[in-house]
Amino acid sequence: MTRRPMYGQARSGSVAPLALGLLAVAAGVVGAVVLSRRGDGLRHGFEDAPRRSQRRPQSGSARVVGRSVTIAKPREEVYRAWREFTRFPDFMENVASVVSLDDTRSRWSVEGPGGSTIEFVSRIVDDVPGERIAWTAEEGTSVPNAGRITFRDAPGDRGTVVDLTMSYDPPGGAVGAMVAKMFQREPSIQARRDLKRFKQLMETGEVATARTHPVSEDER
Amino acid sequence: MRALTWQGKKDVRVETVDDPAIVNPRDIIIKVTSTAICGSDLHLYDGMIPTMQAGDVLGHEFMGEVVETGRGVTDLRKGQRVVVPFVIACGACYHCSKLQYSACDNSNPADEADISETLYGHQMSGLFGYSHMTGGYAGGQAEYVRVPFADVGPIVVPDELEDDDVLFLSDILPTGWMAAENCEIEEGDTVAVWGCGPVGLFAIQSALLMGAARVIAIDHYPRRLQLAAGLGAQTLDYTTANVLEALLDMTGGIGPDAVIDAVGMESHGFSIDNVYDRAKQALMLETDRPHVLREALMACRKGGRVSVPGVYGGLIDKFPIGALMQKGLTIRTGQTHVQRYLPKLLDMIREKRIDTTFLISHRMALEDAAEGYRIFSDEQNDTTKVVLKPGWERAQ
Ligand SMILES: NC(=O)c1ccc[n+]([C@@H]2O[C@H](COP(=O)([O-])OP(=O)(O)OC[C@H]3O[C@@H](n4cnc5c(N)ncnc54)[C@H](O)[C@@H]3O)[C@@H](O)[C@H]2O)c1
Ligand SMILES: [Zn+2]
Ligand SMILES: [Zn+2]
């Protein structure tokens, strides 16, 4: 599938979708953190705050970003929408396309600065319908990354609590410099925006934009 | 098309910009027939609201004719006359389901919403023509406007009502109504209203309709105080009276049961605290001048209600938290949940129970909008409300 003219944002020089998560440097660590049962690492002391909200620098080399959002739709429906990875370009700012290869594998094409494109194959490693999905980039890609999303019923019939966690390593070396350049935006901010657009799409059927014109061919 | 654009502090110009087009399925395009300048626009004009960009099209009080509809819009047709709420709301999120439309989760684009999330802890809804913090949506002081979520906001108005009768449904009429509703008026109540601009005037009218025994209106412009008196309010000129003393004396030593700040962040006057606030503002140590809010909190009776339709944007200083806490006051505020009030207020207009036109002092061509801003800002005594007509020939 190629990019659809979904929502409007001017795309000039802007990079990074669910991004940072998508582009990480150490697949191993990345996968381990994201896939741990709690989704975002271990419990620390007497508190339930997610690891990503800790003030102290996160231990280990992997960084965890993510966000929680409540969507006024039933859990099954939200799960099904996310499971369709090919629709990510509808709400992830610089995912150009996701092509399904088989039941669990898909090829992602992510836009970089100056018109560059990064491709990798992502594999679903955990999938419990209505509850959670986890994925990780296959080994050998220049941009290892992993992500995990969980779905819970919100209290009081308010829909579904969606918790997205992604992990990446603070980049170093030559690859690091390249990756750093790509992320003009704080990855946690990007995750938050992508998740917000997902919520908009689920609840309203469209992605809010202040544009006064549809995205044109050459802006894409 | 022609549209009023913001260029900088005290610099607005009518320019030629691109016509808007349908972008999302639930959009409509309207051809504007009437649009007004609001006290809120003056905060933009005075450079008090951050995240404005040169070229932004202003205007959030507007109405017109539907000229195009997106494929997701089924309940509106080309040719219908609609008034558009200044608050953009999706109608589907948790807050919309609670009728808290100005808290809509989904109408502020994800990139713009970060700003209000940083400033306020949460993002607020999108608004028309009101900075990038509220979405960066092009406003209605223009010939055409793209209206998103058109199945939720715009209300169709009957042909027998003139534009001037219904235009203020877009903002100031429901704003005055909600300001009075937030006072939870009980029998025998005295309500004091600071500011006799359009919002204050509609709040006065609403409070009386809701059964307030008495409304005391406070301002310094004779013409505006006169309009308040015409609605049935008692009046106070704060340049000649000591407001706190006068309010106590006029309420048998009790104080007003409810108070309304219909002034907001740009309070006038040379009281000591206001001069202090001006200095701090100039040094960027404070963003808003809360003289009226302070005075209202001090004036309100014990256990009373404080309603704040006046707009504040950032931080204030010397806030009388002691008066609020010790007297056990309740504060209610917010950008108006316009959509919530439209059917009821439209009915009241039809039944002629609300007068919406008494405050219009000027009707002018959209082309003369810059002059409209100047007089609404600098000649407030005589300029009580400016309505712009895109179809009209320019006067000067
Ligand atoms: N909550 C909302 O959704 C909403 C909607 C519309 C407008 N507003 C806000 O309501 C406020 C009033 O709007 P408006 O259109 O009536 O504006 P306006 O500028 O026409 O009126 C403000 C009035 O306040 C008076 N005033 C100034 N200092 C005063 C003082 N110290 N004591 C008493 N009166 C004083 C002025 O003389 C003026 O008449 C603005 O802050 C505006 O942004 C809020
Ligand atoms: Zn207004
Ligand atoms: Zn909403």
Side-chain angles (χ1 to χ4, degrees), chain B residues 89-93 96 104-106:
Chain B
C90 79
C93 70
C96 284
C104 175
D105 272 340
N106 292 323

PDB file of all heavy atoms in Angstrom, chain B residues 89-93 96 104-106, ligand 3:
ATOM      1  N   ALA B  89     -15.785  20.924  17.917  1.00  0.00           N
ATOM      2  CA  ALA B  89     -15.912  19.736  18.755  1.00  0.00           C
ATOM      3  C   ALA B  89     -16.346  18.536  17.937  1.00  0.00           C
ATOM      4  O   ALA B  89     -17.145  18.664  17.010  1.00  0.00           O
ATOM      5  CB  ALA B  89     -16.917  19.995  19.878  1.00  0.00           C
ATOM      6  N   CYS B  90     -15.808  17.359  18.302  1.00  0.00           N
ATOM      7  CA  CYS B  90     -16.008  16.159  17.483  1.00  0.00           C
ATOM      8  C   CYS B  90     -17.345  15.482  17.743  1.00  0.00           C
ATOM      9  O   CYS B  90     -17.837  14.728  16.919  1.00  0.00           O
ATOM     10  CB  CYS B  90     -14.867  15.168  17.713  1.00  0.00           C
ATOM     11  SG  CYS B  90     -15.004  14.189  19.233  1.00  0.00           S
ATOM     12  N   GLY B  91     -17.900  15.694  18.936  1.00  0.00           N
ATOM     13  CA  GLY B  91     -19.176  15.066  19.255  1.00  0.00           C
ATOM     14  C   GLY B  91     -19.075  13.609  19.668  1.00  0.00           C
ATOM     15  O   GLY B  91     -20.078  12.995  20.017  1.00  0.00           O
ATOM     16  N   ALA B  92     -17.872  13.040  19.654  1.00  0.00           N
ATOM     17  CA  ALA B  92     -17.756  11.600  19.901  1.00  0.00           C
ATOM     18  C   ALA B  92     -16.889  11.240  21.096  1.00  0.00           C
ATOM     19  O   ALA B  92     -16.967  10.131  21.611  1.00  0.00           O
ATOM     20  CB  ALA B  92     -17.186  10.912  18.660  1.00  0.00           C
ATOM     21  N   CYS B  93     -16.056  12.159  21.561  1.00  0.00           N
ATOM     22  CA  CYS B  93     -15.131  11.816  22.642  1.00  0.00           C
ATOM     23  C   CYS B  93     -15.850  11.870  23.998  1.00  0.00           C
ATOM     24  O   CYS B  93     -17.008  12.268  24.087  1.00  0.00           O
ATOM     25  CB  CYS B  93     -13.933  12.767  22.636  1.00  0.00           C
ATOM     26  SG  CYS B  93     -14.318  14.459  23.134  1.00  0.00           S
ATOM     27  N   CYS B  96     -17.087  15.454  24.865  1.00  0.00           N
ATOM     28  CA  CYS B  96     -18.263  15.840  24.080  1.00  0.00           C
ATOM     29  C   CYS B  96     -19.493  15.102  24.596  1.00  0.00           C
ATOM     30  O   CYS B  96     -20.585  15.672  24.650  1.00  0.00           O
ATOM     31  CB  CYS B  96     -18.040  15.558  22.595  1.00  0.00           C
ATOM     32  SG  CYS B  96     -16.946  16.760  21.801  1.00  0.00           S
ATOM     33  N   CYS B 104     -13.114  19.219  24.105  1.00  0.00           N
ATOM     34  CA  CYS B 104     -13.056  18.116  23.135  1.00  0.00           C
ATOM     35  C   CYS B 104     -11.624  17.597  22.967  1.00  0.00           C
ATOM     36  O   CYS B 104     -10.691  18.357  22.802  1.00  0.00           O
ATOM     37  CB  CYS B 104     -13.601  18.571  21.776  1.00  0.00           C
ATOM     38  SG  CYS B 104     -13.424  17.314  20.479  1.00  0.00           S
ATOM     39  N   ASP B 105     -11.496  16.278  23.004  1.00  0.00           N
ATOM     40  CA  ASP B 105     -10.187  15.630  22.877  1.00  0.00           C
ATOM     41  C   ASP B 105      -9.643  15.639  21.457  1.00  0.00           C
ATOM     42  O   ASP B 105      -8.447  15.477  21.251  1.00  0.00           O
ATOM     43  CB  ASP B 105     -10.316  14.147  23.269  1.00  0.00           C
ATOM     44  CG  ASP B 105     -10.123  13.908  24.747  1.00  0.00           C
ATOM     45  OD1 ASP B 105      -9.540  14.766  25.415  1.00  0.00           O
ATOM     46  OD2 ASP B 105     -10.551  12.824  25.221  1.00  0.00           O
ATOM     47  N   ASN B 106     -10.521  15.742  20.487  1.00  0.00           N
ATOM     48  CA  ASN B 106     -10.101  15.379  19.131  1.00  0.00           C
ATOM     49  C   ASN B 106     -10.027  16.511  18.121  1.00  0.00           C
ATOM     50  O   ASN B 106      -9.579  16.292  17.000  1.00  0.00           O
ATOM     51  CB  ASN B 106     -11.044  14.309  18.568  1.00  0.00           C
ATOM     52  CG  ASN B 106     -10.897  12.992  19.313  1.00  0.00           C
ATOM     53  OD1 ASN B 106      -9.788  12.622  19.699  1.00  0.00           O
ATOM     54  ND2 ASN B 106     -12.006  12.300  19.530  1.00  0.00           N
TER      55      ASN B 106
HETATM   56 ZN    ZN C   3     -14.945  15.699  21.229  1.00  0.00          ZN
END
